[in-house]
Amino acid sequence: MIVIKLDDLIWRNRTTAEDIAKVTGLGTTTISKLRNSKSCNISLNTIDKLCDYFNCSVSDLMEHVSNK
């Protein structure tokens, strides 16, 4: 399973979904779904924008956790 760690990044960077949306152009609904780990398809463009915003790597944004 892929775990999205966006909520952790938001808290650590003391930012908001609204701030991210303004800077990246992503929709607040998209950010909310990712933040709450709702099942969704995430585009490479979205991953790229979030990594640029947080100045982080993909592994800081998401990780694979075994289903076992």
Side-chain angles (χ1 to χ4, degrees):
M1 157 172 71
I2 301 296
V3 176
I4 306 295
K5 302 186 287 185
L6 181 57
D7 200 43
D8 293 338
L9 287 170
I10 289 171
W11 284 105
R12 278 188 281 170
N13 289 276
R14 298 180 184 183
T15 191
T16 65
E18 291 79 15
D19 290 339
I20 297 168
K22 286 178 190 172
V23 173
T24 64
L26 297 172
T28 54
T29 302
T30 299
I31 295 166
S32 178
K33 285 180 182 179
L34 293 171
R35 187 174 184 182
N36 296 309
S37 299
K38 300 268 174 142
S39 179
C40 67
N41 292 320
I42 182 170
S43 73
L44 293 176
N45 186 49
T46 298
I47 293 168
D48 184 53
K49 287 180 180 184
L50 290 170
C51 287
D52 283 346
Y53 180 85
F54 289 107
N55 192 31
C56 70
S57 68
V58 174
S59 63
D60 294 323
L61 180 62
M62 60 181 64
E63 71 177 311
H64 176 261
V65 177
S66 177
N67 290 333
K68 296 180 183 181

